[in-house]
Amino acid sequence: MTHLWLRAEQRDNETRTGLTPEGAAALIALGMKVSVEDSDSRVIPTAAYAQAGCEIVPAHSWPDAPRDAVIFGLKELPEDGTPLPHTHIMFGHAYKGQSSGRKLLEQFKAGGGTLLDLEYLTDDAGRRVAAFGYWAGFAGAAISVKCRIAQLRGKTCGPVQPYPDAEALKAALAEELAQVDASGDRALVIGALGRVGRGASDLCAALRIPVTCWDMAETTHGGPFPEILDHAYFFNCILAGPDTPAFVHPDAPKAERALRVIGDIACDPDSAFNPVQVYDRATTWAVPALRVHDTPPLDVMAIDNLPSMLPRESSEDFASQLLPTLRALPETDNAVWQRARKLFDQHVAEV
């Protein structure tokens, strides 16, 4: 019997989940066992999982789960160096040269476990089977607008919090924008045809911020891209790789520019492929804006769990996309899971 163990997230401001009670009930109906860790912070109450037939277990008890249980979560595990003997489904951020990713792979190698990275669960055409992208783009653009509003008030953006839903978020931003003069601001989105780019573009459109939409056709020449500096906002919405050109070079902050806020929604500052070369660390909910130049101001917004700003909508969307693949977890010959295991084997062998 396949045993899926939904762990409680251990990161601050992370209230999302990749499995709803309805999805858990569907897995149980297939003959799978589903254990759910109790969590006071998960956007969906633990009681709803119990009603769906799940076994409820203590929070953060996954290290003691049966060895054959597949541990499912979203964000990082504790960086304590503990060997990892289980199979984990999660966002590992370990395959693009990240320093923390190598440490994670070392933990798996030491424990004999396996990472099935959510970012690399792909169909036969290479498309991700599930992604938080749309809501990451939507929320990332929203926080970037908050950064711009703060600039226009002579300040730097303060702490941000989740919103009940997208309508409440849009209404709050529209009210704040009405109090400042941002009439000349325009945005440029790279990756506009993808989920992340669509989310960022839709938020801007809802707030009547003119958007220039770029995708592969506009960036294949490899740069430079002076048009980025002509827009108040730049949103990086692509998954960078070794062939991705640099969009913002280190000298950009001192250049003549209309650019005021970079929303690096892809957020890979410690990757060797980072195309936004003016910052070196992610920002946080407590400090969402990293000021990289003062006069005129230039802020980088690079929070790496953006969909948590709209946790219920993003969780329900992601879980519905992922459920068909979770249903196939018992199938040893399933191509999606096979590709994920092969990719892990390749990377862990290099550690």
Side-chain angles (χ1 to χ4, degrees), residues 12-347:
D12 291 342
N13 300 309
E14 185 51 82
T15 61
R16 293 173 296 166
T17 181
L19 181 67
T20 63
E22 295 78 12
L27 299 180
I28 292 169
L30 290 175
M32 296 173 61
K33 180 177 181 179
V34 179
S35 299
V36 175
E37 292 187 358
D38 189 21
S39 173
D40 293 334
S41 61
R42 188 184 294 122
V43 68
I44 299 175
T46 301
Y49 292 93
Q51 292 171 2
C54 301
E55 174 192 36
I56 306 303
V57 295
H60 316 313
S61 59
W62 60 265
D64 299 320
R67 191 59 55 88
D68 62 351
V70 178
I71 313 301
F72 178 30
L74 295 178
K75 300 302 288 185
E76 301 92 335
L77 299 173
E79 294 185 7
D80 57 8
T82 302
L84 298 171
H86 293 92
T87 293
H88 283 257
I89 301 171
M90 59 179 284
F91 287 104
H93 304 295
Y95 297 162
K96 292 189 289 185
Q98 301 97 324
S99 57
S100 58
R102 180 176 179 85
K103 294 176 183 176
L104 179 64
L105 291 175
E106 289 172 348
Q107 290 178 257
F108 276 109
K109 189 166 188 176
T114 300
L115 169 63
L116 301 176
D117 198 309
L118 288 164
E119 187 174 340
Y120 296 93
L121 298 183
T122 58
D123 62 18
D124 292 341
R127 294 184 294 264
R128 289 172 62 176
V129 301
F132 282 104
Y134 180 87
W135 294 109
F138 194 94
I143 300 176
S144 297
V145 171
K146 290 182 75 69
C147 292
R148 178 61 174 146
I149 291 169
Q151 288 179 353
L152 292 167
R153 291 173 171 165
K155 301 177 181 179
T156 302
C157 187
V160 294
Q161 299 293 332
Y163 284 78
D165 53 46
E167 292 305 315
L169 173 57
K170 289 188 291 186
L173 284 176
E175 182 177 350
E176 291 185 56
L177 275 173
Q179 299 170 12
V180 296
D181 181 10
S183 57
D185 287 353
R186 299 180 299 142
L188 189 149
V189 176
I190 292 185
L193 297 181
R195 294 168 178 166
V196 180
R198 289 199 304 271
S201 299
D202 284 356
L203 184 282
C204 290
L207 298 176
R208 300 183 179 180
I209 299 171
V211 183
T212 300
C213 295
W214 280 11
D215 212 87
M216 293 182 64
E218 291 80 9
T219 59
T220 50
H221 65 82
F225 305 103
E227 297 90 343
I228 292 173
L229 300 183
D230 295 334
H231 292 74
Y233 299 96
F234 166 54
F235 297 116
N236 174 39
C237 300
I238 69 159
L239 180 64
D243 297 325
T244 303
F247 298 140
V248 182
H249 291 271
D251 60 353
K254 296 181 179 180
E256 183 176 346
R257 55 180 166 79
L259 185 64
R260 296 294 184 267
V261 179
I262 297 171
D264 191 9
I265 299 168
C267 190
D268 261 329
D270 62 345
S271 168
F273 310 139
N274 179 21
V276 181
Q277 300 175 347
V278 295
Y279 81 113
D280 60 0
R281 61 190 182 277
T283 62
T284 67
W285 289 57
V287 185
L290 174 64
R291 181 144 299 179
V292 296
H293 201 266
D294 289 318
T295 307
L298 179 59
D299 291 331
V300 177
M301 187 294 307
I303 296 173
D304 63 0
N305 63 333
L306 286 164
S308 288
M309 177 163 277
L310 297 166
R312 182 171 288 276
E313 286 158 310
S314 60
S315 293
E316 291 175 349
D317 183 19
F318 183 84
S320 67
Q321 296 174 53
L322 184 63
L323 184 59
T325 303
L326 289 178
R327 291 167 66 99
L329 192 58
E331 302 171 10
T332 57
D333 61 346
N334 178 266
V336 175
W337 296 114
Q338 281 188 333
R339 279 189 288 268
R341 289 187 176 90
K342 182 178 180 180
L343 188 61
F344 168 75
D345 289 341
Q346 291 173 349
H347 283 275

